[in-house]
């Protein structure tokens, strides 16, 4: 399914504008706050042009473009709708779509990110000041001066740690309550122990205090946390924007005529008007009107299906040619769409939970460090017999082993890799998606909407008489049917001009007819024009009583599909094709792309069962799909990718979203993921070697605060620089 | 030694002022559109405040 087919859902110019304005007028006037998505803006001039175009509207108070999110926020007088504003922006030469404000609220202000940044700032401030004082101590401050410096450090560090390190304390507490150990437990313990023993030392006017270590540790670890958060916040906001692009409204026929209502307000028994180009919001039965519907997102069928009174129509189908009146038979959670989405939940429970590299490292690391510190404490207590010395040593062990490098090892790499992939148009939604992507050895593609765009393409243009094509073009001009569009595009590319055909009428569900040179001409279904039914998608042109001629179509390949499949096969991966479409169509595509294994007429359950079977055989499956029939398989797969044009449910189920039209970035994503995992492992190696060298020093009691600070910073910087190599 | 009674408070106050200023910028949404802000300085249009929350 492509953007061209679904665009009318949100961009339908007048249909929803007028009733919405009426509904607004009844309520007390509220200022309109509109958000527009501007996917094509990229520079300072774009921002200025769009803002000028929007503020030119007399009722717009303020308009501000956000280039990072590629959005515009507009404050306008009550009653102004996006339908009035979009033409203004488009007139200035930029693409614009309305975004559903309620779906966006969650990302309007990134509360969690802001909180982390604030803690990071406080930790940074404290670390810098304490470091100044510590340098003075290291360079030889003695006696009361040293004590004074330690006390000032304590005064700075205590509140700073209390505020900044809260995320770690909270996580550690949750983990301990669940009787588990995660990375935050040793972190929290090290910070608390460092601050505690330092206070004790200072009170006894001791020589060493680890205040600087405690606060720099917090600072470095918060940096890792913030990087981690940033990566996913970008992906989340973009994913939410995709969902917000579909504004869920429907036209209901009420007692006082047509009214535009939110889809959630629809009830069973409501009569709904479905305009051509509209997506069916609920399940229902057609009461009036004949048309054709596109079910490709639900079943993978590319051929439009005839819709006539009495036929059931399910949520998610797109009406193509004529207006329909539909009586709702199931709404909300009961629609077939929702029930199919529930399959995802079933598949989800069967998915083996993947443990990330960081978690696995933490499982080894946390108990190891605690045992080591405990042994050091007991050893020194037995040998020196001094509780103070023993506690100091134990704190030093915890600080020096504390996972500065480990805490940065994964987030630094995933941030760099996600940034690289984001620039190529891939959005990583899940934290462990990159690691899982690196293990992939089998790739399963869906056909319709994934490898192909879902828009048909005229294939036998060479065999058709030029005159027939020109007549067909004239008839196709008046229709929004995808096959008509394809004929028109093909004719225009060949440089042909349409014939003059008069009295063109569209017979919904059948085709278009008109008068050409006094003769009746028809373009449409085989049964209606007198043509022979064929295996391939076809439209027939009949001129009066002459034998009709067939226009054959096949699905157009998505940009980069051939290259992506070839590249994946070349790198030794197993590639499969799975589709709900007819065997003939699937086989043709498989042959065209040289995919050896294919499955046709697969039901959603078949797809997920096949993926699960592959997984049981030991394969790590990457599933690429867009339709509702793919959602269960997307969840069942080891890792999944869906294009931005996919249905919301599919995008939610997948780990990675492809923002652009092209499939070409997929092979690159695999290489980048492998590189990223390699860097993560290298970072773990660096951290391990660092510990092997540093731990004996700490246990031997040779680790002064100066050495701890140097070692910690050195390992953190090494790890971050190594991560940057992936950009 | 006496000089420290001036210098330490001064360094703390200056650092604290920097921190307070950062928190102010953070609260007034100045990090919502880093890319756009970087380009806005090139535009000739006067634009002195970020998007209101």
């Amino acid at each position: 399914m492509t953007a061209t087919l679904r665009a009318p859902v949100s961009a339908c110019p007048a249909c929803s504008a007028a009733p919405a304005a009426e509904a607004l007028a009844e309520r007390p006037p509220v200022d309109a706050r509109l958000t527009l998505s501007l996917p094509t803006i990229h520079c300072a001039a774009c921002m200025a042009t769009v803002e000028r175009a929007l503020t030119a509207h007399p009722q717009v108070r303020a308009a501000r473009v956000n280039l990072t999110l590629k959005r515009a926020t507009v404050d306008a007088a009550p009653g102004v709708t996006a339908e009035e504003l979009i033409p203004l922006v488009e007139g200035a030469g930029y693409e614009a779509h309305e975004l559903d404000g309620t779906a966006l609220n969650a990302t309007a202000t990134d509360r969690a990110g802001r909180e982390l940044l604030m803690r990071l700032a406080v930790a940074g401030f404290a670390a810098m000041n304490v470091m100044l004082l510590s340098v003075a101590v290291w360079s030889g401050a003695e006696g009361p001066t040293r004590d004074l410096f330690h006390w000032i450090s304590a005064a700075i560090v205590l509140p700073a740690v209390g505020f900044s390190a809260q995320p770690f304390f909270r996580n550690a507490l949750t983990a301990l309550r669940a009787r588990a150990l995660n990375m935050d437990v040793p972190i929290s313990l090290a910070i608390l122990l460092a601050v505690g023993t330092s206070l004790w030392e200072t009170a006894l006017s001791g020589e060493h205090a680890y205040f600087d270590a405690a606060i720099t540790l917090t600072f470095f670890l918060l940096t890792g946390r913030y990087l981690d958060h940033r990566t996913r916040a970008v992906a989340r906001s973009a994913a939410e924007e995709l969902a917000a692009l579909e504004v869920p409204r429907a036209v209901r026929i009420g007692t006082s005529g047509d009214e535009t209502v939110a889809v959630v307000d629809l009830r069973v028994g409501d009569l709904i008007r479905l305009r051509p180009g509209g997506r069916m919001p609920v399940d229902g039965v057609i009461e009036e009107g004949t048309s054709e519907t596109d079910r490709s997102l639900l079943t993978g069928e590319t051929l439009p299906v005839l819709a006539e009174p009495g036929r059931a129509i399910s949520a998610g189908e797109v009406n193509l040619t004529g207006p329909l009146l539909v009586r709702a038979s199931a709404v909300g959670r009961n629609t077939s769409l929702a029930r199919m989405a529930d399959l995802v939940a079933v598949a989800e429970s069967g998915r083996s939970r993947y443990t990330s590299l960081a978690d696995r490292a933490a499982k080894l690391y946390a108990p190891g460090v605690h045992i080591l510190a405990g042994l050091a404490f007991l050893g020194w207590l037995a040998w020196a017999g001094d509780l103070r010395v023993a506690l100091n040593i134990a704190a030093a062990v915890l600080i020096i082993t504390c996972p500065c490098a480990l805490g940065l090892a994964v987030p630094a790499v995933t941030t760099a890799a996600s940034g690289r992939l984001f620039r190529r148009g891939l959005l990583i939604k899940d934290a462990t998606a990159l690691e899982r992507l690196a293990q992939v050895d089998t790739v399963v593609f869906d056909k319709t909407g994934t490898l192909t765009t879902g828009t048909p393409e005229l294939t036998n243009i060479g065999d058709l008489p030029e005159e027939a094509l020109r007549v067909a073009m004239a008839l196709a001009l008046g229709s929004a049917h995808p096959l008509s569009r394809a004929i028109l595009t093909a004719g225009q590319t060949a440089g042909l001009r349409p014939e003059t055909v008069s009295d063109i009428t569209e017979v919904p569900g059948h085709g278009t007819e008109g008068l050409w040179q006094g003769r009746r001409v028809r373009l449409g279904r085989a049964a209606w024009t007198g043509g022979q039914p064929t295996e391939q998608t076809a439209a027939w042109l009949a001129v009066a009583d002459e034998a009709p001629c067939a226009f054959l179509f096949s699905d157009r390949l998505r940009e980069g599909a051939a290259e992506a499949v070839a590249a994946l096969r070349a790198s030794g991966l197993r590639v499969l094709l799975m589709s709900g479409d007819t065997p003939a169509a699937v086989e043709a595509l498989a042959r065209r792309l040289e995919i050896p294994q294919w499955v046709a007429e697969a039901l959603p359950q078949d797809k997920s069962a096949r993926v699960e079977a592959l997984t049981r055989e030991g394969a790590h499956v990457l599933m690429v799909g867009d339709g509702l029939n793919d959602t269960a398989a997307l969840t069942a797969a080891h890792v999944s990718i869906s294009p931005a044009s996919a249905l919301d449910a599919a995008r939610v189920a997948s780990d990675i979203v492809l923002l652009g039209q092209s499939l070409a970035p997929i092979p690159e994503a695999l290489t980048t993921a492998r590189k990223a995992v390699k860097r993560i492992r290298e970072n773990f190696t660096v951290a391990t070697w660092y510990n092997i060298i540093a731990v004996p020093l700490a246990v031997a009691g040779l680790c002064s605060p100066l050495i701890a600070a140097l070692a910690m910073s050195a390992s953190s910087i090494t790890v971050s620089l190594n991560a940057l190599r992936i950009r | 030694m006496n000089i420290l009674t001036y210098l330490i408070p001064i360094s703390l106050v200056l650092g604290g002022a920097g921190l307070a200023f950062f928190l102010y910028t953070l609260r007034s949404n100045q990090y919502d559109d880093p890319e756009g802000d970087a380009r806005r300085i090139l535009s000739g249009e006067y634009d002195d405040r970020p998007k209101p929350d």
Side-chain angles (χ1 to χ4, degrees), chain A residues 146-507:
Chain A
R146 186 185 60 208
D147 286 351
L148 175 70
F149 281 9
H150 279 165
W151 278 119
I152 297 172
S153 299
I156 300 170
V157 164
L158 280 178
V161 161
F163 174 69
S164 303
Q166 271 175 30
F168 307 114
F169 296 157
R170 242 180 279 143
N171 279 349
L173 211 63
T174 335
L176 284 180
R177 278 217 194 97
R179 299 184 176 283
L181 277 182
N182 61 7
M183 205 72 118
D184 287 322
V185 176
I187 290 172
S188 302
L189 196 65
I191 294 174
L192 288 176
L193 208 57
V195 174
T197 53
S198 303
L199 265 182
W200 192 15
E201 279 292 299
T202 308
L204 298 173
S205 84
E207 203 181 329
H208 295 310
Y210 290 97
F211 291 118
D212 56 296
I215 194 72
T216 37
L217 192 62
T218 316
F219 178 73
F220 278 131
L221 290 168
L222 276 172
T223 312
R225 277 305 137 91
Y226 184 67
L227 284 179
D228 209 32
H229 175 84
R230 268 313 300 152
T231 326
R232 259 168 300 154
V234 169
R236 239 196 335 266
S237 84
E240 252 175 50
E241 176 165 320
L242 289 171
L245 273 174
E246 291 162 37
V247 182
R249 285 192 204 121
V251 181
R252 180 168 65 188
I253 301 178
T255 42
S256 54
D258 287 8
E259 51 187 15
T260 305
V261 294
V263 167
V264 285
D265 293 335
L266 291 176
R267 296 283 168 269
V268 172
D270 280 353
L271 201 57
I272 299 158
R273 190 187 298 283
L274 191 62
R275 295 193 164 82
R279 184 188 299 279
M280 189 64 196
V282 293
D283 284 0
V285 178
I286 300 170
E287 294 252 313
E288 222 182 288
T290 316
S291 176
E292 279 176 290
T293 60
D294 178 342
R295 323 206 316 199
S296 56
L297 273 178
L298 293 161
T299 60
E301 291 167 72
T302 38
L303 221 57
V305 187
L306 186 65
E308 50 194 3
R311 191 179 81 81
I313 176 167
S314 48
E317 291 187 35
V318 177
N319 184 12
L320 290 176
T321 48
L324 291 174
L325 279 185
V326 184
R327 179 79 63 190
S329 61
V331 296
R333 302 287 318 149
N334 298 323
T335 60
S336 49
L337 192 97
R339 264 185 283 125
M340 227 192 280
D342 284 345
L343 275 177
V344 174
V346 178
E348 186 105 0
S349 60
R351 184 185 228 175
S352 59
R353 282 218 150 271
Y354 178 82
T355 350
S356 68
L357 285 171
D359 285 346
R360 270 184 279 166
K363 259 196 200 113
L364 280 174
Y365 175 89
V369 165
H370 289 156
I371 292 169
L372 203 63
L375 285 179
F377 175 76
L378 291 177
W380 275 88
L381 193 62
W383 190 62
D386 187 346
L387 183 69
R388 184 176 148 201
V389 172
L391 204 57
N392 258 332
I393 300 284
V397 169
L398 271 178
I399 292 169
I400 201 115
T401 55
C402 209
C404 270
L406 282 182
L408 280 168
V410 178
V413 173
T414 46
T415 307
S418 306
R420 182 194 165 104
L421 290 177
F422 186 67
R423 284 191 292 277
R424 302 285 190 283
L426 279 159
L427 207 65
I428 313 289
K429 274 175 57 199
D430 193 279
T432 60
L434 271 176
E435 291 170 26
R436 283 181 278 140
L437 198 57
Q439 302 174 329
V440 162
D441 52 19
T442 308
V443 186
V444 179
F445 281 103
D446 166 52
K447 186 179 86 72
T448 320
T450 306
L451 281 178
T452 67
T453 57
T455 40
E457 186 180 35
L458 188 60
T459 49
N460 63 339
I461 187 164
D463 309 336
L464 293 166
E466 201 176 289
E467 196 175 59
L469 194 61
R470 282 164 52 179
V471 173
M473 279 173 75
L475 285 168
L477 263 178
S479 167
H481 195 281
L483 296 187
S484 300
R485 292 269 178 86
I487 291 178
L488 217 53
T489 322
Q492 276 159 358
T493 333
L496 296 177
R497 311 197 53 175
E499 288 281 321
T500 327
V501 177
S502 60
D503 296 334
I504 297 179
T505 47
E506 186 164 20
V507 185

Side-chain angles (χ1 to χ4, degrees), chain A residues 495-649:
Chain A
L496 296 177
R497 311 197 53 175
E499 288 281 321
T500 327
V501 177
S502 60
D503 296 334
I504 297 179
T505 47
E506 186 164 20
V507 185
H510 296 286
T512 337
E513 67 178 356
L515 279 176
W516 173 60
Q517 297 176 353
R519 289 190 288 176
R520 175 155 305 280
V521 283
R522 277 180 167 184
L523 176 71
R525 289 182 166 263
W528 188 60
T529 50
Q532 302 294 317
T534 47
E535 274 278 300
Q536 215 178 337
T537 314
W540 296 80
L541 177 75
V543 180
D545 303 326
E546 285 173 30
C549 67
F551 287 71
L552 298 175
F553 300 90
S554 71
D555 242 6
R556 191 192 317 177
L557 273 189
R558 189 184 271 270
E559 199 187 311
E563 292 87 336
V565 170
L568 290 174
R569 276 170 53 81
S571 60
L573 296 168
R574 191 169 156 207
V575 182
L576 285 90
L577 179 62
M578 251 197 280
S579 173
D581 210 352
T582 55
V586 181
E587 189 182 1
L589 184 78
R591 199 165 292 156
R592 193 163 157 196
L593 292 177
E594 295 176 26
I595 299 177
Q597 280 172 289
W598 52 270
V599 184
E601 286 175 341
L603 296 173
Q605 295 88 327
D606 299 345
K607 287 194 178 186
S608 63
R610 185 105 179 89
V611 168
E612 273 157 22
L614 283 167
T615 311
R616 267 197 301 279
E617 285 166 28
H620 291 99
V621 181
L622 163 65
M623 172 83 201
V624 191
D626 77 318
L628 198 64
N629 52 338
D630 300 315
T631 39
L634 286 171
T635 323
H638 192 54
V639 55
S640 48
I641 300 182
S642 69
S645 58
L647 211 63
D648 195 28

Side-chain angles (χ1 to χ4, degrees), chain B:
Chain B
M1 184 65 198
N2 280 339
I3 191 77
L4 290 177
T5 49
Y6 299 109
L7 285 182
I8 292 174
I10 287 174
S11 88
L12 284 179
V13 165
L14 286 178
L19 179 67
F21 193 66
F22 176 78
L23 294 186
Y24 159 74
T25 59
L26 190 67
R27 279 176 192 279
S28 57
N29 297 317
Q30 299 195 20
Y31 301 95
D32 281 6
D33 184 14
E35 216 171 299
D37 294 338
R39 313 237 177 183
R40 261 176 218 280
I41 51 168
L42 302 175
S43 121
E45 271 168 51
Y46 187 57
D47 176 52
D48 66 340
R49 61 184 69 235
K51 182 191 83 180
D53 194 25

Side-chain angles (χ1 to χ4, degrees), chain A residues 652-677:
Chain A
V652 169
S654 56
D655 303 304
I656 300 168
V657 175
L658 201 56
L659 289 176
Q661 280 296 313
S662 173
L663 286 183
I666 291 181
E668 203 198 315
L670 288 173
T671 358
T672 308
R674 283 200 206 105
K675 258 191 229 155
V677 169

